[in-house]
Amino acid sequence: MARLFGTDGVRGLANGEILTASLAQNLATSAALVLTEELRDSGSGRKPLAVVGNDSRVSGQFLQATVAGGLASAGCDVIDVGVLPTPGVAYLTAALQADLGVVISASHNPMPDNGIKFLQRGGHKLDDVLEDRIEAHLDEPWDRPTGASVGRISSHENPVETYAAHLISTLERRLDGLTVVVDCANGAAAAAGPLALDQAGAKVIAINDVNDGLSINDGVGSTHPEMLQKAVLEHDADVGFAWDGDADRCLAVDGEGNLVDGDQLIAILALGLHDAGRLPGDTVVVTVMSNLGFVKAMDAAGVHVKQTAVGDRYVLEEMRRGGYAIGGEQSGHIIMSEHATTGDGILTALHVLQRMSLTGRTLADLASVVTRLPQVLLNVKGVDKARCKTDDGLLEAVATEEKALAGSGRILLRPSGTENLVRVMVEAPTHHEAEACAERLADVVRSRLAL
């Protein structure tokens, strides 16, 4: 059987063949047994504590109830924080000294999908080993507590306000005088995002901030920034920010309506820390998908770049391993380890605004440090992705194209983690060159790796 856990928890069509209430309950009980094993072995007699939150999609209601029930049946006391961004759940997991956290969310995926991701003590995402242990314990017999040993389920009194206060506390100055449009993706940030920015002093115009359970990510948010670009111009705002459904991503729009991606936002924040002498190892961590223009900009500023496999969890693992302060992905997952254990879109927005306020520079000016090379990404379907890194003919074709680019561009072939496809990414001095190179390599992939 295929591995149940993906790059960010377990995802699928809510109430479909995989992500059912039954699976949610089994995952919850298995996670409780695995993640509280040390506490139970200690003999302290203390009940484990779990924090559970969700984004705004309607299926989150039955999944959250089922997960909370499963945790309580395994002897965990549960604090339900309701609709809250993933980083908010992670923060409260750490702040409340909970033994584990659970987020019911499919992030930027369409509304019919949902997902379950677990956090260990301290609010950190799980590594592959822990996820495999949880999966291995599914449907195994276990000693069920009874009577007073079962867990209790309660609600947090003010999770949104508590999380927003934490976000504001990370700032060194107020944001008065800045006008900001925020696209909440009709998701988990609809309450916390505007509240945090408003209390920090910015004038906030919120769009797509309803939580009807049905509209999350529907043509809005960080995957569809067009509405935000229009709103920034209409309101003559200084800047706009777009979050995804669970607000662990953030993309921006400058005052001229231009999109500012994750690479550029990471550069702005990393250089701010570098200038202040607060960038450990003068190093930033990104994935192999970051634009070559970002790497060149960091090199010119004396900042080292470490690159990982695609996925914010791998960025975070490298950051924790090296004690680094900032890292993230082009898609807008940005981790500021001084203040958060996960990517946090609202935190990113606050600190980009602070950088604008401190320097007196526009977002367009700050983002101009990165000159992005044209990038083309093609998905080649129906191929044997396992041979992507070993086929001699394909490797020879890649070497030929790399020689032609002569260091002025970059080629990356990456097998999909979930489908029989290979992603061909090419960066080159012009879009035409990148597109032509990507098409040539895509043809080679089709012919060499055909199933």
Side-chain angles (χ1 to χ4, degrees):
M1 290 181 61
R3 188 173 186 266
L4 190 61
F5 282 89
T7 56
D8 198 16
V10 178
R11 287 193 192 175
L13 177 65
N15 227 21
E17 292 185 7
I18 297 175
L19 192 56
T20 62
S22 176
L23 176 65
Q25 184 178 43
N26 286 339
L27 280 169
T29 54
S30 182
L33 295 173
V34 170
L35 299 178
T36 66
E37 183 178 34
E38 186 176 331
L39 172 64
R40 289 182 285 109
D41 289 346
S42 72
S44 69
R46 177 177 68 82
K47 277 186 184 178
L49 178 65
V51 173
V52 183
N54 60 289
D55 67 24
S56 62
R57 64 195 79 211
V58 65
S59 59
Q61 296 180 15
F62 85 80
L63 288 171
Q64 174 124 342
T66 307
V67 164
L71 292 169
S73 76
C76 292
D77 286 338
V78 179
I79 298 178
D80 184 341
V81 299
V83 176
L84 198 69
T86 288
V89 179
Y91 166 70
L92 287 175
T93 299
L96 297 173
Q97 298 184 330
D99 299 284
L100 72 153
V102 190
V103 184
I104 312 299
S105 173
S107 191
H108 60 283
N109 283 27
M111 182 275 293
D113 291 344
N114 216 324
I116 302 172
K117 46 191 171 186
F118 296 97
L119 305 165
Q120 58 187 308
R121 189 173 179 83
H124 296 283
K125 291 185 178 181
L126 309 188
D127 59 25
D128 290 342
V129 173
L130 282 173
E131 289 182 341
D132 287 342
R133 286 183 60 198
I134 292 171
E135 193 164 334
H137 279 76
L138 287 175
D139 298 318
E140 285 189 353
W142 51 285
D143 295 330
R144 299 175 182 273
T146 58
S149 296
V150 301
R152 297 172 182 262
I153 301 174
S154 60
S155 297
H156 194 288
E157 290 184 0
N158 53 353
V160 171
E161 293 78 4
T162 301
Y163 171 51
H166 158 68
L167 293 171
I168 296 166
S169 74
T170 68
L171 297 175
E172 298 169 7
R173 64 183 290 153
R174 288 181 56 79
L175 307 177
D176 301 278
L178 291 170
T179 300
V180 187
V181 180
V182 291
D183 184 339
C184 304
N186 296 322
L195 176 65
L197 269 65
D198 176 74
Q199 291 188 348
K203 178 183 176 182
V204 183
I205 300 154
I207 62 175
N208 303 315
D209 57 342
V210 301
N211 277 341
D212 62 5
L214 305 175
S215 304
I216 185 171
N217 298 326
D218 187 7
V220 297
S222 61
T223 53
H224 298 278
E226 301 83 10
M227 192 180 300
L228 177 63
Q229 291 174 291
K230 183 179 178 181
V232 167
L233 295 176
E234 286 179 350
H235 293 280
D236 194 26
D238 296 295
V239 61
F241 295 101
W243 299 308
D244 65 336
D246 71 335
D248 63 354
R249 291 189 185 196
C250 177
L251 295 181
V253 171
D254 66 27
E256 300 166 13
N258 300 308
L259 188 65
V260 177
D261 70 9
D263 283 343
Q264 293 166 298
L265 295 176
I266 295 167
I268 291 168
L269 296 173
L271 292 179
L273 291 172
H274 182 64
D275 292 348
R278 291 166 43 204
L279 188 65
D282 289 328
T283 297
V284 62
V285 183
V286 294
T287 77
V288 292
M289 290 300 290
S290 277
N291 194 274
L292 183 59
F294 169 85
V295 177
K296 290 183 175 181
M298 293 298 96
D299 183 62
V303 174
H304 306 295
V305 176
K306 284 188 174 289
Q307 292 184 289
T308 74
V310 175
D312 64 312
R313 62 187 295 183
Y314 303 114
V315 172
L316 182 56
E317 286 173 7
E318 182 61 33
M319 290 176 66
R320 294 180 70 184
R321 187 179 299 116
Y324 303 123
I326 188 163
E329 297 184 281
Q330 190 181 73
S331 61
H333 275 119
I334 300 174
I335 304 162
M336 303 181 69
S337 62
E338 284 185 88
H339 312 299
T341 59
T342 68
D344 190 324
I346 304 172
L347 182 71
T348 297
L350 285 166
H351 281 261
V352 170
L353 288 167
Q354 178 174 252
R355 186 65 179 159
M356 292 171 62
S357 179
L358 282 168
T359 61
R361 297 167 64 186
T362 66
L363 180 60
D365 188 28
L366 290 169
S368 68
V369 67
V370 176
T371 301
R372 299 184 73 256
L373 269 69
Q375 186 181 84
V376 172
L377 177 64
L378 299 179
N379 292 329
V380 185
K381 299 181 179 180
V383 295
D384 182 4
K385 64 182 180 181
R387 294 192 291 120
C388 172
K389 303 293 185 181
T390 59
D391 183 83
D392 290 338
L394 179 57
L395 294 177
E396 182 179 344
V398 170
T400 299
E401 296 290 352
E402 286 178 332
K403 184 177 180 180
L405 287 171
S408 63
R410 189 167 64 106
I411 296 169
L412 178 66
L413 268 62
R414 186 168 65 91
S416 167
T418 56
E419 302 174 76
N420 284 323
L421 64 84
V422 172
R423 306 187 197 282
V424 179
M425 190 275 285
V426 177
E427 292 169 350
T430 69
H431 181 80
H432 174 73
E433 290 174 275
E435 188 173 46
C437 178
E439 290 286 2
R440 289 193 296 269
L441 287 175
D443 288 340
V444 177
V445 171
R446 289 188 191 96
S447 61
R448 299 288 305 185
L449 307 186
L451 289 173

